[in-house]
Amino acid sequence: YEARLPTFGQFEVLACYGLSIVGAYLHAVSAGRRLQGISLITMGFVAVVLGLAVPGVDVAAKPGTEGSNVLLGVHIITAFVGYGFFTLASLLAATYIVQDNNLKHKRFGFVFEALPPLEVLDNLMHRQIAIAFPIFTVSVALGVRHAWLMGGGTEWLTDPKILATAVTWLVYAILIHLRLRADQHGRKLADVVMIGLGCVLFAFIGAPMLSASSVHNFVRPAAGGPQP
């Protein structure tokens, strides 16, 4: 049995995704960011992710995922880091939308007081994306390089996960471009970030489930069914 990163089974993948979100949150907190009220939202999302991971505890990783190498390892780690920061940015975007609606409808109750101001949320969203995008770009580049070295030819181009990841990268590239324009920020940015979350979740969880032959199909049990 060869050593491998614990990121090929359903439980492993979702658990690591949850940890990556927590890591992104802790990074923001360690940088002295004002995140009052965000912790409950973040932990609630992570709790849902871990709840979805539980059914996969006894499901083994599919055959052929036991091996690993440095290139693949860095590709996987940077992907999780990127997903974590992108997701935190989306949770901040959702919070921004809530606060924006509170202001428009003059609702200044407990929820409004518990959440950060709009300017803080806007800056935090941008910071998470600014961290995640180059890291995610490195992950995509390393994934392409690994596929090429493994002799995958051009077949990997039709992998649903690869296509969804490319769309996700493009959405965030557009988002960064919009942010750099002085007239594109705030609620407009938050709306696009929420679209980005949909892309992340589809690329990360939805797309691998569409094709049994996908190299990223972590939800397919290994031969012989669930392990004891």
Side-chain angles (χ1 to χ4, degrees):
Y1 178 79
E2 297 181 24
R4 65 173 177 84
L5 287 172
T7 55
F8 291 102
Q10 177 180 344
F11 175 79
E12 297 172 347
V13 168
L14 293 177
C16 286
Y17 176 47
L19 289 175
S20 70
I21 299 171
V22 173
Y25 173 80
L26 293 177
H27 176 272
V29 171
S30 67
R33 309 301 177 201
R34 297 171 54 194
L35 293 178
Q36 70 270 23
I38 302 299
S39 57
L40 291 178
I41 297 173
T42 303
M43 294 306 107
F45 187 87
V46 171
V48 171
V49 171
L50 295 180
L52 295 173
V54 170
V57 170
D58 294 326
V59 177
K62 67 177 184 177
T65 58
E66 290 78 8
S68 184
N69 57 50
V70 174
L71 186 63
L72 178 60
V74 177
H75 162 65
I76 292 172
I77 292 171
T78 50
F80 274 109
V81 172
Y83 284 136
F85 279 96
F86 279 146
T87 301
L88 179 59
S90 297
L91 297 178
L92 291 167
T95 305
Y96 186 101
I97 293 171
V98 170
Q99 282 292 67
D100 186 55
N101 287 334
N102 285 335
L103 282 173
K104 288 180 178 178
H105 296 90
K106 301 186 184 305
R107 294 192 294 258
F108 304 115
F110 173 77
V111 173
F112 179 82
E113 294 294 334
L115 299 177
L118 292 180
E119 183 178 358
V120 172
L121 291 169
D122 184 64
N123 289 330
L124 284 172
M125 279 190 291
H126 173 63
R127 290 180 184 275
Q128 308 316 305
I129 295 169
I131 293 172
F133 186 74
I135 294 174
F136 191 66
T137 300
V138 169
S139 177
V140 171
L142 292 177
V144 171
R145 178 62 175 169
H146 181 264
W148 184 266
L149 291 177
M150 295 300 291
T154 59
E155 293 182 0
W156 58 274
L157 290 172
T158 59
D159 189 310
K161 166 74 172 184
I162 303 299
L163 296 175
T165 298
V167 171
T168 301
W169 185 91
L170 181 60
V171 167
Y172 281 102
I174 294 173
L175 198 153
I176 289 177
H177 172 71
L178 293 176
R179 173 67 186 192
L180 293 177
R181 294 175 56 185
D183 61 335
Q184 299 291 336
H185 58 87
R187 180 61 182 260
K188 293 180 180 179
L189 177 67
D191 290 337
V192 179
V193 173
M194 292 305 298
I195 295 175
L197 177 61
C199 293
V200 166
L201 294 178
F202 181 74
F204 186 59
I205 299 174
M209 300 175 68
L210 296 179
S211 174
S213 61
S214 172
V215 296
H216 295 89
N217 183 18
F218 57 82
V219 297
R220 179 162 58 86
Q227 301 298 308

Short mmCIF file of all heavy atoms in Angstrom, two decimals, residues 46-102:
data_model
loop_
_atom_site.label_atom_id
_atom_site.label_comp_id
_atom_site.label_asym_id
_atom_site.label_seq_id
_atom_site.Cartn_x
_atom_site.Cartn_y
_atom_site.Cartn_z
N VAL A 46 -19.69 25.21 7.50
CA VAL A 46 -18.78 24.09 7.68
C VAL A 46 -19.52 22.89 8.27
O VAL A 46 -19.29 21.74 7.88
CB VAL A 46 -17.60 24.48 8.58
CG1 VAL A 46 -16.76 23.26 8.95
CG2 VAL A 46 -16.72 25.52 7.88
N ALA A 47 -20.43 23.15 9.19
CA ALA A 47 -21.21 22.07 9.79
C ALA A 47 -22.04 21.33 8.74
O ALA A 47 -22.16 20.10 8.77
CB ALA A 47 -22.11 22.62 10.89
N VAL A 48 -22.61 22.10 7.81
CA VAL A 48 -23.38 21.47 6.72
C VAL A 48 -22.47 20.61 5.85
O VAL A 48 -22.83 19.48 5.49
CB VAL A 48 -24.07 22.56 5.86
CG1 VAL A 48 -24.70 21.93 4.62
CG2 VAL A 48 -25.13 23.29 6.68
N VAL A 49 -21.29 21.13 5.52
CA VAL A 49 -20.33 20.38 4.70
C VAL A 49 -19.94 19.07 5.39
O VAL A 49 -19.92 18.00 4.77
CB VAL A 49 -19.08 21.23 4.42
CG1 VAL A 49 -17.98 20.37 3.76
CG2 VAL A 49 -19.43 22.40 3.52
N LEU A 50 -19.64 19.15 6.69
CA LEU A 50 -19.25 17.95 7.43
C LEU A 50 -20.41 16.98 7.56
O LEU A 50 -20.23 15.76 7.55
CB LEU A 50 -18.72 18.34 8.81
CG LEU A 50 -17.42 19.16 8.82
CD1 LEU A 50 -17.00 19.47 10.25
CD2 LEU A 50 -16.31 18.42 8.09
N GLY A 51 -21.62 17.53 7.67
CA GLY A 51 -22.80 16.66 7.71
C GLY A 51 -22.96 15.87 6.42
O GLY A 51 -23.31 14.68 6.43
N LEU A 52 -22.68 16.52 5.28
CA LEU A 52 -22.73 15.84 4.00
C LEU A 52 -21.61 14.82 3.85
O LEU A 52 -21.72 13.87 3.07
CB LEU A 52 -22.64 16.85 2.86
CG LEU A 52 -23.81 17.84 2.73
CD1 LEU A 52 -23.51 18.89 1.66
CD2 LEU A 52 -25.10 17.10 2.40
N ALA A 53 -20.53 15.01 4.60
CA ALA A 53 -19.40 14.10 4.52
C ALA A 53 -19.64 12.80 5.27
O ALA A 53 -19.08 11.76 4.91
CB ALA A 53 -18.14 14.78 5.07
N VAL A 54 -20.48 12.85 6.29
CA VAL A 54 -20.68 11.68 7.17
C VAL A 54 -21.10 10.42 6.43
O VAL A 54 -20.56 9.33 6.70
CB VAL A 54 -21.70 12.02 8.28
CG1 VAL A 54 -22.10 10.78 9.05
CG2 VAL A 54 -21.12 13.07 9.23
N PRO A 55 -22.05 10.48 5.47
CA PRO A 55 -22.44 9.25 4.77
C PRO A 55 -21.28 8.58 4.04
O PRO A 55 -21.37 7.39 3.68
CB PRO A 55 -23.49 9.73 3.76
CG PRO A 55 -24.05 10.97 4.37
CD PRO A 55 -22.88 11.63 5.04
N GLY A 56 -20.20 9.30 3.78
CA GLY A 56 -19.08 8.73 3.05
C GLY A 56 -17.98 8.17 3.94
O GLY A 56 -16.92 7.78 3.43
N VAL A 57 -18.22 8.09 5.25
CA VAL A 57 -17.19 7.61 6.17
C VAL A 57 -16.73 6.20 5.81
O VAL A 57 -15.54 5.89 5.83
CB VAL A 57 -17.70 7.65 7.62
CG1 VAL A 57 -16.73 6.91 8.55
CG2 VAL A 57 -17.88 9.08 8.09
N ASP A 58 -17.67 5.33 5.47
CA ASP A 58 -17.34 3.93 5.18
C ASP A 58 -17.19 3.64 3.69
O ASP A 58 -17.15 2.49 3.29
CB ASP A 58 -18.43 3.01 5.76
CG ASP A 58 -18.48 3.06 7.27
OD1 ASP A 58 -17.41 3.21 7.89
OD2 ASP A 58 -19.58 2.96 7.84
N VAL A 59 -17.12 4.70 2.88
CA VAL A 59 -16.95 4.51 1.43
C VAL A 59 -15.48 4.69 1.08
O VAL A 59 -14.91 5.75 1.33
CB VAL A 59 -17.81 5.51 0.63
CG1 VAL A 59 -17.56 5.33 -0.87
CG2 VAL A 59 -19.28 5.32 0.96
N ALA A 60 -14.89 3.66 0.52
CA ALA A 60 -13.46 3.71 0.19
C ALA A 60 -13.24 4.54 -1.06
O ALA A 60 -14.13 4.71 -1.89
CB ALA A 60 -12.92 2.30 -0.03
N ALA A 61 -12.03 5.06 -1.17
CA ALA A 61 -11.65 5.78 -2.38
C ALA A 61 -11.63 4.81 -3.54
O ALA A 61 -11.40 3.62 -3.38
CB ALA A 61 -10.27 6.41 -2.20
N LYS A 62 -11.89 5.31 -4.74
CA LYS A 62 -11.94 4.44 -5.91
C LYS A 62 -10.55 3.88 -6.22
O LYS A 62 -9.53 4.47 -5.84
CB LYS A 62 -12.48 5.20 -7.12
CG LYS A 62 -11.56 6.30 -7.63
CD LYS A 62 -12.16 6.94 -8.87
CE LYS A 62 -11.21 7.99 -9.44
NZ LYS A 62 -11.71 8.59 -10.67
N PRO A 63 -10.45 2.77 -6.90
CA PRO A 63 -9.16 2.20 -7.25
C PRO A 63 -8.34 3.15 -8.09
O PRO A 63 -8.88 3.93 -8.86
CB PRO A 63 -9.55 0.94 -8.06
CG PRO A 63 -10.95 0.65 -7.68
CD PRO A 63 -11.58 1.96 -7.38
N GLY A 64 -7.04 3.09 -7.92
CA GLY A 64 -6.16 3.89 -8.74
C GLY A 64 -5.82 5.23 -8.13
O GLY A 64 -5.16 6.04 -8.76
N THR A 65 -6.28 5.48 -6.88
CA THR A 65 -6.00 6.76 -6.24
C THR A 65 -5.02 6.61 -5.09
O THR A 65 -4.82 7.52 -4.33
CB THR A 65 -7.29 7.39 -5.71
OG1 THR A 65 -7.91 6.48 -4.79
CG2 THR A 65 -8.25 7.71 -6.83
N GLU A 66 -4.41 5.43 -4.97
CA GLU A 66 -3.54 5.21 -3.82
C GLU A 66 -2.22 5.94 -3.93
O GLU A 66 -1.63 6.33 -2.94
CB GLU A 66 -3.27 3.70 -3.66
CG GLU A 66 -4.49 2.89 -3.19
CD GLU A 66 -5.47 2.62 -4.32
OE1 GLU A 66 -5.14 2.92 -5.49
OE2 GLU A 66 -6.57 2.14 -4.04
N GLY A 67 -1.71 6.05 -5.15
CA GLY A 67 -0.40 6.67 -5.32
C GLY A 67 -0.46 8.18 -5.25
O GLY A 67 -1.50 8.79 -5.35
N SER A 68 0.68 8.78 -5.07
CA SER A 68 0.76 10.22 -5.03
C SER A 68 2.16 10.64 -5.41
O SER A 68 3.07 9.83 -5.45
CB SER A 68 0.39 10.73 -3.63
OG SER A 68 0.38 12.13 -3.60
N ASN A 69 2.35 11.91 -5.70
CA ASN A 69 3.67 12.46 -5.94
C ASN A 69 3.65 13.92 -5.55
O ASN A 69 2.59 14.47 -5.22
CB ASN A 69 4.11 12.26 -7.40
CG ASN A 69 3.12 12.87 -8.39
OD1 ASN A 69 2.74 14.03 -8.24
ND2 ASN A 69 2.71 12.09 -9.38
N VAL A 70 4.80 14.54 -5.58
CA VAL A 70 4.89 15.93 -5.11
C VAL A 70 4.02 16.85 -5.94
O VAL A 70 3.30 17.69 -5.41
CB VAL A 70 6.36 16.39 -5.13
CG1 VAL A 70 6.45 17.87 -4.78
CG2 VAL A 70 7.20 15.58 -4.16
N LEU A 71 4.09 16.71 -7.28
CA LEU A 71 3.32 17.58 -8.16
C LEU A 71 1.83 17.46 -7.89
O LEU A 71 1.11 18.47 -7.76
CB LEU A 71 3.63 17.25 -9.62
CG LEU A 71 3.00 18.17 -10.68
CD1 LEU A 71 3.54 19.59 -10.52
CD2 LEU A 71 3.30 17.64 -12.07
N LEU A 72 1.34 16.24 -7.80
CA LEU A 72 -0.07 16.00 -7.53
C LEU A 72 -0.45 16.52 -6.14
O LEU A 72 -1.51 17.12 -5.95
CB LEU A 72 -0.40 14.51 -7.62
CG LEU A 72 -1.84 14.10 -7.31
CD1 LEU A 72 -2.80 14.78 -8.28
CD2 LEU A 72 -1.99 12.58 -7.37
N GLY A 73 0.46 16.30 -5.18
CA GLY A 73 0.19 16.75 -3.82
C GLY A 73 0.04 18.26 -3.73
O GLY A 73 -0.89 18.76 -3.10
N VAL A 74 0.95 18.99 -4.37
CA VAL A 74 0.86 20.46 -4.35
C VAL A 74 -0.39 20.93 -5.10
O VAL A 74 -1.06 21.88 -4.69
CB VAL A 74 2.12 21.08 -4.97
CG1 VAL A 74 2.01 22.60 -5.02
CG2 VAL A 74 3.36 20.69 -4.17
N HIS A 75 -0.73 20.25 -6.20
CA HIS A 75 -1.94 20.57 -6.95
C HIS A 75 -3.17 20.45 -6.05
O HIS A 75 -4.04 21.35 -6.03
CB HIS A 75 -2.06 19.64 -8.15
CG HIS A 75 -3.44 19.57 -8.75
ND1 HIS A 75 -4.05 20.65 -9.34
CD2 HIS A 75 -4.33 18.53 -8.81
CE1 HIS A 75 -5.26 20.29 -9.77
NE2 HIS A 75 -5.44 19.02 -9.45
N ILE A 76 -3.26 19.37 -5.30
CA ILE A 76 -4.41 19.13 -4.44
C ILE A 76 -4.46 20.15 -3.30
O ILE A 76 -5.52 20.73 -3.01
CB ILE A 76 -4.37 17.70 -3.87
CG1 ILE A 76 -4.58 16.67 -5.00
CG2 ILE A 76 -5.42 17.52 -2.78
CD1 ILE A 76 -4.37 15.24 -4.58
N ILE A 77 -3.33 20.37 -2.65
CA ILE A 77 -3.30 21.28 -1.50
C ILE A 77 -3.67 22.71 -1.93
O ILE A 77 -4.48 23.37 -1.26
CB ILE A 77 -1.91 21.26 -0.84
CG1 ILE A 77 -1.68 19.90 -0.17
CG2 ILE A 77 -1.78 22.38 0.20
CD1 ILE A 77 -0.27 19.69 0.34
N THR A 78 -3.08 23.18 -3.03
CA THR A 78 -3.39 24.54 -3.49
C THR A 78 -4.85 24.66 -3.93
O THR A 78 -5.47 25.73 -3.75
CB THR A 78 -2.46 24.96 -4.64
OG1 THR A 78 -2.45 23.93 -5.66
CG2 THR A 78 -1.05 25.18 -4.14
N ALA A 79 -5.42 23.58 -4.46
CA ALA A 79 -6.84 23.61 -4.84
C ALA A 79 -7.71 23.80 -3.61
O ALA A 79 -8.64 24.63 -3.60
CB ALA A 79 -7.21 22.32 -5.56
N PHE A 80 -7.42 23.05 -2.55
CA PHE A 80 -8.20 23.17 -1.32
C PHE A 80 -8.05 24.56 -0.70
O PHE A 80 -9.03 25.15 -0.22
CB PHE A 80 -7.80 22.11 -0.30
CG PHE A 80 -8.52 20.80 -0.49
CD1 PHE A 80 -7.85 19.68 -0.96
CD2 PHE A 80 -9.87 20.68 -0.20
CE1 PHE A 80 -8.51 18.48 -1.15
CE2 PHE A 80 -10.55 19.49 -0.37
CZ PHE A 80 -9.86 18.38 -0.85
N VAL A 81 -6.84 25.09 -0.71
CA VAL A 81 -6.62 26.44 -0.16
C VAL A 81 -7.44 27.46 -0.96
O VAL A 81 -8.11 28.33 -0.39
CB VAL A 81 -5.13 26.81 -0.19
CG1 VAL A 81 -4.93 28.27 0.20
CG2 VAL A 81 -4.33 25.91 0.76
N GLY A 82 -7.39 27.35 -2.28
CA GLY A 82 -8.17 28.25 -3.12
C GLY A 82 -9.66 28.14 -2.86
O GLY A 82 -10.35 29.15 -2.71
N TYR A 83 -10.17 26.90 -2.78
CA TYR A 83 -11.59 26.70 -2.51
C TYR A 83 -11.98 27.29 -1.16
O TYR A 83 -13.06 27.87 -1.01
CB TYR A 83 -11.92 25.20 -2.52
CG TYR A 83 -12.01 24.60 -3.90
CD1 TYR A 83 -11.42 23.36 -4.17
CD2 TYR A 83 -12.69 25.24 -4.92
CE1 TYR A 83 -11.50 22.79 -5.43
CE2 TYR A 83 -12.77 24.67 -6.18
CZ TYR A 83 -12.19 23.45 -6.43
OH TYR A 83 -12.28 22.90 -7.68
N GLY A 84 -11.10 27.14 -0.16
CA GLY A 84 -11.40 27.66 1.17
C GLY A 84 -11.56 29.17 1.17
O GLY A 84 -12.53 29.71 1.72
N PHE A 85 -10.61 29.88 0.56
CA PHE A 85 -10.67 31.34 0.52
C PHE A 85 -11.82 31.83 -0.38
O PHE A 85 -12.48 32.82 -0.05
CB PHE A 85 -9.34 31.92 0.05
CG PHE A 85 -8.31 32.00 1.14
CD1 PHE A 85 -7.36 30.99 1.29
CD2 PHE A 85 -8.29 33.07 2.01
CE1 PHE A 85 -6.41 31.06 2.29
CE2 PHE A 85 -7.34 33.16 3.01
CZ PHE A 85 -6.40 32.15 3.17
N PHE A 86 -12.06 31.15 -1.50
CA PHE A 86 -13.18 31.53 -2.35
C PHE A 86 -14.50 31.39 -1.59
O PHE A 86 -15.40 32.23 -1.69
CB PHE A 86 -13.23 30.64 -3.60
CG PHE A 86 -12.29 31.06 -4.69
CD1 PHE A 86 -11.69 30.11 -5.51
CD2 PHE A 86 -12.00 32.40 -4.91
CE1 PHE A 86 -10.82 30.49 -6.53
CE2 PHE A 86 -11.13 32.79 -5.93
CZ PHE A 86 -10.55 31.83 -6.74
N THR A 87 -14.63 30.30 -0.84
CA THR A 87 -15.86 30.07 -0.09
C THR A 87 -16.06 31.11 1.00
O THR A 87 -17.17 31.62 1.20
CB THR A 87 -15.86 28.66 0.52
OG1 THR A 87 -15.72 27.68 -0.52
CG2 THR A 87 -17.16 28.40 1.29
N LEU A 88 -14.99 31.44 1.72
CA LEU A 88 -15.10 32.48 2.75
C LEU A 88 -15.51 33.81 2.10
O LEU A 88 -16.34 34.55 2.65
CB LEU A 88 -13.78 32.65 3.50
CG LEU A 88 -13.77 33.73 4.59
CD1 LEU A 88 -14.83 33.44 5.64
CD2 LEU A 88 -12.39 33.84 5.23
N ALA A 89 -14.96 34.11 0.93
CA ALA A 89 -15.35 35.34 0.22
C ALA A 89 -16.84 35.32 -0.09
O ALA A 89 -17.53 36.35 0.02
CB ALA A 89 -14.55 35.47 -1.07
N SER A 90 -17.37 34.15 -0.45
CA SER A 90 -18.79 34.04 -0.77
C SER A 90 -19.66 34.19 0.48
O SER A 90 -20.74 34.78 0.41
CB SER A 90 -19.07 32.69 -1.44
OG SER A 90 -18.37 32.59 -2.67
N LEU A 91 -19.21 33.66 1.60
CA LEU A 91 -19.95 33.84 2.85
C LEU A 91 -19.97 35.31 3.25
O LEU A 91 -20.99 35.83 3.74
CB LEU A 91 -19.31 33.00 3.96
CG LEU A 91 -19.34 31.48 3.74
CD1 LEU A 91 -18.64 30.76 4.89
CD2 LEU A 91 -20.78 30.98 3.60
N LEU A 92 -18.87 36.01 2.99
CA LEU A 92 -18.83 37.45 3.24
C LEU A 92 -19.75 38.19 2.27
O LEU A 92 -20.40 39.18 2.64
CB LEU A 92 -17.39 37.96 3.08
CG LEU A 92 -16.40 37.50 4.15
CD1 LEU A 92 -14.97 37.80 3.72
CD2 LEU A 92 -16.70 38.16 5.49
N ALA A 93 -19.82 37.70 1.03
CA ALA A 93 -20.72 38.30 0.04
C ALA A 93 -22.18 38.15 0.47
O ALA A 93 -22.98 39.09 0.35
CB ALA A 93 -20.50 37.67 -1.33
N ALA A 94 -22.52 36.96 0.96
CA ALA A 94 -23.89 36.72 1.43
C ALA A 94 -24.21 37.66 2.60
O ALA A 94 -25.31 38.22 2.69
CB ALA A 94 -24.05 35.27 1.86
N THR A 95 -23.23 37.85 3.48
CA THR A 95 -23.40 38.77 4.60
C THR A 95 -23.57 40.20 4.11
O THR A 95 -24.38 40.96 4.64
CB THR A 95 -22.19 38.68 5.55
OG1 THR A 95 -21.99 37.32 5.94
CG2 THR A 95 -22.40 39.53 6.79
N TYR A 96 -22.79 40.57 3.09
CA TYR A 96 -22.90 41.91 2.52
C TYR A 96 -24.31 42.15 1.99
O TYR A 96 -24.90 43.22 2.21
CB TYR A 96 -21.88 42.09 1.39
CG TYR A 96 -21.83 43.49 0.84
CD1 TYR A 96 -20.83 44.36 1.23
CD2 TYR A 96 -22.79 43.95 -0.06
CE1 TYR A 96 -20.78 45.67 0.73
CE2 TYR A 96 -22.77 45.24 -0.55
CZ TYR A 96 -21.75 46.09 -0.15
OH TYR A 96 -21.72 47.38 -0.64
N ILE A 97 -24.86 41.17 1.28
CA ILE A 97 -26.20 41.30 0.72
C ILE A 97 -27.24 41.48 1.83
O ILE A 97 -28.15 42.30 1.72
CB ILE A 97 -26.53 40.08 -0.15
CG1 ILE A 97 -25.63 40.07 -1.40
CG2 ILE A 97 -28.00 40.07 -0.56
CD1 ILE A 97 -25.72 38.81 -2.22
N VAL A 98 -27.08 40.72 2.92
CA VAL A 98 -27.99 40.85 4.06
C VAL A 98 -27.90 42.25 4.66
O VAL A 98 -28.92 42.90 4.92
CB VAL A 98 -27.67 39.80 5.14
CG1 VAL A 98 -28.44 40.08 6.42
CG2 VAL A 98 -28.00 38.40 4.63
N GLN A 99 -26.68 42.74 4.87
CA GLN A 99 -26.50 44.06 5.44
C GLN A 99 -27.02 45.16 4.52
O GLN A 99 -27.60 46.15 4.96
CB GLN A 99 -25.01 44.31 5.75
CG GLN A 99 -24.50 43.65 7.01
CD GLN A 99 -25.08 44.25 8.27
OE1 GLN A 99 -26.29 44.12 8.54
NE2 GLN A 99 -24.23 44.90 9.06
N ASP A 100 -26.80 44.98 3.22
CA ASP A 100 -27.27 45.96 2.25
C ASP A 100 -28.79 46.04 2.27
O ASP A 100 -29.37 47.14 2.24
CB ASP A 100 -26.78 45.57 0.85
CG ASP A 100 -27.11 46.63 -0.19
OD1 ASP A 100 -26.71 47.79 0.01
OD2 ASP A 100 -27.76 46.29 -1.20
N ASN A 101 -29.45 44.89 2.38
CA ASN A 101 -30.91 44.87 2.46
C ASN A 101 -31.39 45.49 3.77
O ASN A 101 -32.43 46.18 3.80
CB ASN A 101 -31.42 43.44 2.35
CG ASN A 101 -31.30 42.90 0.93
OD1 ASN A 101 -31.31 43.65 -0.04
ND2 ASN A 101 -31.18 41.58 0.80
N ASN A 102 -30.65 45.25 4.86
CA ASN A 102 -31.01 45.85 6.15
C ASN A 102 -30.99 47.38 6.05
O ASN A 102 -31.88 48.06 6.57
CB ASN A 102 -30.04 45.40 7.24
CG ASN A 102 -30.29 43.97 7.69
OD1 ASN A 102 -31.41 43.47 7.56
ND2 ASN A 102 -29.27 43.32 8.21
#
